[in-house]
Amino acid sequence: MNTVIYKLNETNIDMDLIKKIGLVLREGGLVAFPTETVYGIGANALNGEAILNIYKAKGRPSDNPLIVHIDDINHLSKYAKEINEDAKKLMNEFWPGPLTLIFKKTKLIPDTISGGLDTVAIRIPSNKIARYIIKEAKVPIAAPSANISGRPSPTAAKHVIEDLYNKVDIIVDGGNTNIGLESTVLDVTDAIPVILRPGGVTKSMIEKVIGKVNIDDSLINKELVPKSPGMKYKHYAPKGSLIVVSGDEEKVVNKINEWVKEKEKEGYSVGVIATTETSKHYKCKNIEIIGDKHNHNQIAANLFNVLRKMDENNIDYIYSQAFSEEDIGMAIMNRLMKAAGNKKITI
Ligand code: TXA
Ligand code: MG
């Protein structure tokens, strides 16, 4: 398959091009496009064959369901049922935006999307390119992150090109994504909603709107099987071995410097993920600065790019300090720990 790359600018959208892209989607093609979270690989959610092509292109296990993206809340009841008051309040507050809700599904949703579950994940993205593409497709769009399964999610078109060139019909280059981590996934089918995947819309933001919210036990106890199928796979992982180190910052830096020296002596290439503040204290050839210590949004936006850079530089061992779990920090640490296969050392 030959991939065509189109550049689009969110502030000055070429509607003729959007119409063309929408048509390719409606007719069963695969299109990768930016959202405010990460790039997605989209297909017509009502076309079973197109859905299977997404799984093939990504090498994704078939039991891992996809998120259906819509552009208008009025279309929701075609695909979701038993929409309760909490869900309505949340949609009112956070849509369009990085919140995915799990509902009971209607018959219109093909089984291939929902991995055999009786539920469906739905969100309205806020990125204008994404919204217009979905609108012009005139069908709901199933879109997982546009990476090969298991690799860090793409936050720039070049990441999508690395993973999916010649596996999709179109890649839309709309620049870097704002948030950089995938949407929060919230199951609203229970009396008390449950966060299955932390993201840009945080627990406290949700609680301000609807009161008590639970967190899927597996997010806290890594031994348990997650309720969201996608969360059970090793994910977001760079090729090198990543180790997260937590504890007093000065001690963490010293310990990482010790390990870097050891591994470099053994002939490995070693990388360190640093904040702007700690970067000057590390002694390592490959230091990637992820952002300012207190700027969690910046850290979130850079995480996947930094992990991919480690791959570009063929790093064997990557060390990262742990980050704050406050607000979007919960999502940052969730992705970082998954990338590390849960290897964390506390000193
Ligand atoms: O920000 C995002 O959500 C991006 C952009 C492209 O919208 N999409 C994304 O999709 O991250 P994906 O497929 O990479 O992750 C979807 C997550 C997976 O963990 C999947 O298991 C979960 O949502 N999921 C989907 N449908 C579900 C369902 N019915 N029940 C429970 N979890 C579900
Ligand atoms: Mg994904």
Side-chain angles (χ1 to χ4, degrees):
M1 185 188 289
N2 288 327
T3 300
V4 183
I5 300 173
Y6 293 128
K7 257 190 191 293
L8 275 171
N9 184 336
E10 213 184 334
T11 53
N12 177 19
I13 293 182
D14 175 348
M15 283 311 289
D16 288 336
L17 193 50
I18 292 271
K19 285 201 172 101
K20 202 159 137 185
I21 296 167
L23 185 64
V24 170
L25 276 169
R26 183 155 76 251
E27 293 189 334
L30 297 185
V31 176
F33 59 86
T35 80
E36 71 281 16
T37 57
V38 299
Y39 275 73
I41 168 176
N44 179 345
L46 306 179
N47 179 332
E49 205 175 313
I51 300 303
L52 286 179
N53 287 336
I54 287 188
Y55 283 93
K56 260 189 237 157
K58 277 183 62 86
R60 181 175 174 112
S62 62
D63 69 342
N64 189 3
L66 309 180
I67 298 173
V68 174
H69 297 65
I70 56 176
D71 75 297
D72 184 341
I73 203 161
N74 292 319
H75 297 162
L76 179 67
S77 56
K78 290 193 234 170
Y79 315 115
K81 51 187 189 186
E82 298 169 35
I83 301 161
N84 59 30
E85 284 309 308
D86 280 350
K88 283 180 192 159
K89 284 187 201 157
L90 291 169
M91 292 185 287
N92 199 22
E93 184 72 25
F94 298 115
W95 279 9
L99 177 67
T100 296
L101 297 175
I102 309 284
F103 299 101
K104 292 279 181 225
K105 68 173 190 174
T106 66
K107 287 204 176 83
L108 275 181
I109 297 294
D111 285 337
T112 38
I113 286 189
S114 46
L117 301 170
D118 63 351
T119 51
V120 61
I122 302 188
R123 84 176 185 103
I124 302 184
S126 65
N127 179 295
K128 285 206 184 97
I129 298 172
R131 286 260 294 294
Y132 282 132
I133 288 176
I134 301 163
K135 184 162 188 261
E136 288 305 326
K138 300 186 170 71
V139 287
I141 300 297
S145 48
N147 51 289
I148 296 289
S149 248
R151 293 213 67 207
S153 293
T155 56
K158 80 174 174 99
H159 302 156
V160 183
I161 294 167
E162 272 165 28
D163 283 15
L164 296 176
Y165 193 71
N166 286 348
K167 291 186 174 174
V168 297
D169 296 285
I170 296 171
I171 294 173
V172 178
D173 179 350
N176 292 344
T177 60
N178 294 335
I179 298 175
L181 298 179
E182 307 85 343
S183 62
T184 304
V185 177
L186 184 74
D187 185 341
V188 285
T189 62
D190 279 338
I192 298 176
V194 188
I195 294 178
L196 304 184
R197 178 175 74 180
V201 175
T202 64
K203 182 166 184 272
S204 67
M205 286 161 77
I206 297 170
E207 279 177 338
K208 271 197 197 123
V209 179
I210 56 164
K212 189 169 166 47
V213 171
N214 287 329
I215 296 181
D216 187 35
D217 294 336
S218 72
L219 292 173
I220 297 153
N221 180 350
K222 308 284 182 246
E223 308 287 304
L224 297 175
V225 178
K227 238 178 123 187
S228 178
M231 298 298 282
K232 72 174 180 267
Y233 298 105
K234 187 175 176 202
H235 224 118
Y236 317 110
K239 290 172 197 139
S241 174
L242 168 64
I243 296 137
V244 179
V245 190
S246 80
D248 170 74
E249 194 171 89
E250 203 182 315
K251 284 191 189 143
V252 167
V253 170
N254 289 340
K255 198 73 203 168
I256 289 180
N257 278 335
E258 243 174 63
W259 285 327
V260 169
K261 204 167 155 188
E262 242 171 58
K263 289 290 174 199
E264 281 182 346
K265 217 189 224 165
E266 288 170 24
Y268 292 108
S269 59
V270 187
V272 169
I273 300 177
T275 60
T276 317
E277 292 82 359
T278 53
S279 61
K280 25 191 177 303
H281 304 301
Y282 284 118
K283 295 185 193 76
C284 180
K285 278 187 222 121
N286 303 287
I287 297 174
E288 292 295 341
I289 298 178
I290 195 167
D292 301 348
K293 181 175 168 181
H294 297 293
N295 190 341
H296 301 170
N297 290 337
Q298 196 180 28
I299 293 175
N302 286 328
L303 175 62
F304 289 140
N305 187 40
V306 161
L307 293 176
R308 278 182 184 256
K309 275 199 182 152
M310 292 292 177
D311 282 353
E312 265 169 42
N313 296 331
N314 290 314
I315 305 295
D316 302 311
Y317 284 92
I318 308 158
Y319 296 98
S320 175
Q321 58 192 94
F323 301 103
S324 156
E325 301 228 11
E326 245 175 77
D327 53 68
I328 199 173
M330 186 178 173
I332 295 170
M333 283 306 290
N334 170 267
R335 308 306 193 273
L336 186 68
M337 289 306 293
K338 277 186 168 294
N342 286 322
K343 286 193 294 291
K344 181 161 107 178
I345 297 173
T346 306
I347 50 171

